[in-house]
Amino acid sequence: MSHPILNDQLQSLDDQGLATTLACLADTCKTISQQLKRGELAGILGAAGNENVQGEEQKKLDVIANDLIKSALGACEPVRGIASEEEDDVVGLRESAGLLVTFDPLDGSSNIDINSMVGTIFSILPGQSTGPVTEAEFLQPGRNQVAAGYVLYGPSTMLALTTGNGVDMYTLDPVSGDFLLTREANIPEATKEFAINMSNQRFWAPAVQTYIAELLQGAEGPRGKNYNMRWVAAMVADVHRVLCRGGVFMYPWDQRDPNKPGKLRLMYEANPMGFLVEQAGGQCCTPEGPILDLQPEKIHQRVPVILGAAEEVSRCVGMHS
Ligand code: F6P
């Protein structure tokens, strides 16, 4: 069976600036994948010795992945500016270019040191001006995204990509070095699988407590079926499972820290994943409605996230009203 090559497929996009940017991101993720494969041998595991703007400890690989993507996009003509989880502020690149890229260079970084799955998430937005690049320009609803995707560094390295016409999944062929199209994502409306960090249960809002309690009652409860639970603790890996075989994934609001309305970041986690999930037939919401309709207020904003199978997302969101 022959598998189409990512770079060939990108050539058929109407926007060749977008194609160049996506090829650049895909190539850089191949380099990150190679670094990850060498793991402990490369001396790149462990803490970098500093914190990011969100007060989280940076791992050496967070910094390495960020520097690789920043420098690759710095040399990528169509990119006007970037925003990264690991950068305090947005970075202007060239005023004449038309695309803005936001990214989480290494999602799930607590998994790095245990040789478990991590990923890179990216979102591409249209530039809004021809003057200096500002944070305000990035603050566009997720509906404006022209492309979004992630690369999952697992047993094989996989790229999931949407440009608004479904979700294509590519596997990195270690022999040719190409990303080859291997499947399309599809999220069935119903599921028997959920993903949530149960250790936070006592901090959740009452609606989430009730929703999860119903799932845990299984066939004897109001849902009338048994559910299974999975939690990889890397959003890329958990959402990848949902895109491949369905399910519901949640990182809901909790009352641990009033300054953090959720753990996940809107601009480079929830929005790109929301675009992918909607394109695969699922839903991605906060208790107030679709994530993609949110007007961002700042680049590192956090949001509660409920995504995946439409039946489950609607039920959970509905319980909040
Ligand atoms: O970006 C934050 C993140 O690493 C996600 O990838 C993941 O879903 C979540 O945090 C895991 O959080 P916790 O450690 O609370 O399970």
Side-chain angles (χ1 to χ4, degrees), residues 98-143:
L99 295 175
L100 304 171
V101 182
T102 71
F103 55 92
D104 179 351
L106 213 58
D107 170 67
S109 45
S110 72
N111 280 352
I112 293 172
D113 296 340
I114 56 163
N115 196 26
S116 191
M117 285 190 279
V118 288
T120 297
I121 313 174
F122 59 86
S123 155
I124 306 185
L125 290 160
Q128 301 286 290
S129 115
T130 48
V133 178
T134 60
E135 174 170 351
E137 194 184 346
F138 281 81
L139 303 180
Q140 306 175 42
R143 291 264 170 241

Side-chain angles (χ1 to χ4, degrees), residues 56 85 104 107-110 197 200 231 233-236 238 249 251 256 263-265 269:
E56 295 162 341
E85 182 187 7
D104 179 351
D107 170 67
S109 45
S110 72
N197 184 339
N200 299 325
W231 188 250
M235 188 191 197
V236 172
D238 280 312
F249 163 92
Y251 212 115
R256 281 175 294 172
K263 180 171 189 192
L264 303 174
R265 272 53 59 105
E269 292 180 320

Side-chain angles (χ1 to χ4, degrees), residues 50-310:
N50 31 320
E51 289 186 344
N52 64 19
V53 67
Q54 314 175 57
E56 295 162 341
E57 179 195 62
Q58 282 182 315
K59 303 278 186 183
K60 284 185 201 163
L61 268 166
D62 285 323
V63 178
I64 292 170
N66 186 59
D67 289 350
L68 281 168
I69 299 174
K70 189 177 171 186
S71 123
L73 293 178
C76 183
E77 290 291 327
V79 182
R80 190 174 142 68
I82 59 171
S84 161
E85 182 187 7
E86 305 303 338
E87 299 283 333
D88 295 4
D89 303 310
V90 304
V91 179
L93 294 175
R94 51 189 75 71
E95 293 184 9
S96 58
L99 295 175
L100 304 171
V101 182
T102 71
F103 55 92
D104 179 351
L106 213 58
D107 170 67
S109 45
S110 72
N111 280 352
I112 293 172
D113 296 340
I114 56 163
N115 196 26
S116 191
M117 285 190 279
V118 288
T120 297
I121 313 174
F122 59 86
S123 155
I124 306 185
L125 290 160
Q128 301 286 290
S129 115
T130 48
V133 178
T134 60
E135 174 170 351
E137 194 184 346
F138 281 81
L139 303 180
Q140 306 175 42
R143 291 264 170 241
N144 284 12
Q145 292 171 103
V146 291
Y150 62 76
V151 172
L152 170 66
Y153 310 105
S156 56
T157 296
M158 290 194 73
L159 164 70
L161 176 65
T162 184
T163 54
N165 188 20
V167 179
D168 289 330
M169 290 180 157
Y170 300 82
T171 304
L172 181 60
D173 177 3
V175 178
S176 66
D178 291 320
F179 275 111
L180 304 181
L181 183 63
T182 44
R183 67 154 80 197
E184 281 167 22
N186 172 42
I187 305 177
E189 201 180 330
T191 183
K192 291 180 170 180
E193 196 162 64
F194 70 97
I196 193 165
N197 184 339
M198 284 296 296
S199 69
N200 299 325
Q201 184 174 21
R202 65 192 183 286
F203 302 115
W204 299 334
V208 175
Q209 303 258 8
T210 309
Y211 169 72
I212 295 292
E214 281 191 1
L215 304 190
L216 294 175
Q217 287 170 61
E220 292 76 39
R223 304 304 303 275
K225 57 182 175 178
N226 292 325
Y227 285 79
N228 198 3
M229 199 200 89
R230 290 284 182 269
W231 188 250
V232 183
M235 188 191 197
V236 172
D238 280 312
V239 172
H240 185 72
R241 185 186 56 255
V242 171
L243 289 171
C244 288
R245 70 175 188 213
V248 60
F249 163 92
M250 308 172 65
Y251 212 115
W253 173 90
D254 67 52
Q255 60 182 11
R256 281 175 294 172
D257 180 348
N259 296 318
K260 292 183 183 170
K263 180 171 189 192
L264 303 174
R265 272 53 59 105
L266 174 61
M267 301 290 305
Y268 39 81
E269 292 180 320
N271 269 344
M273 292 309 198
F275 193 13
L276 289 162
V277 165
E278 285 199 4
Q279 284 295 315
Q283 293 182 6
C284 178
C285 294
T286 70
E288 276 75 49
I291 294 259
L292 297 187
D293 293 333
L294 282 181
Q295 173 58 52
E297 287 160 12
K298 52 187 181 189
I299 202 77
H300 296 295
Q301 180 175 346
R302 294 176 193 262
V303 283
V305 174
I306 309 162
L307 66 78

Side-chain angles (χ1 to χ4, degrees), residues 22-62:
L22 290 171
C24 170
L25 282 164
D27 282 345
T28 313
C29 290
K30 290 178 195 170
T31 310
I32 296 173
S33 169
Q34 282 158 6
Q35 298 261 9
L36 284 166
K37 277 198 183 354
R38 292 206 62 225
E40 218 138 30
L41 297 175
I44 52 175
L45 303 193
N50 31 320
E51 289 186 344
N52 64 19
V53 67
Q54 314 175 57
E56 295 162 341
E57 179 195 62
Q58 282 182 315
K59 303 278 186 183
K60 284 185 201 163
L61 268 166
D62 285 323

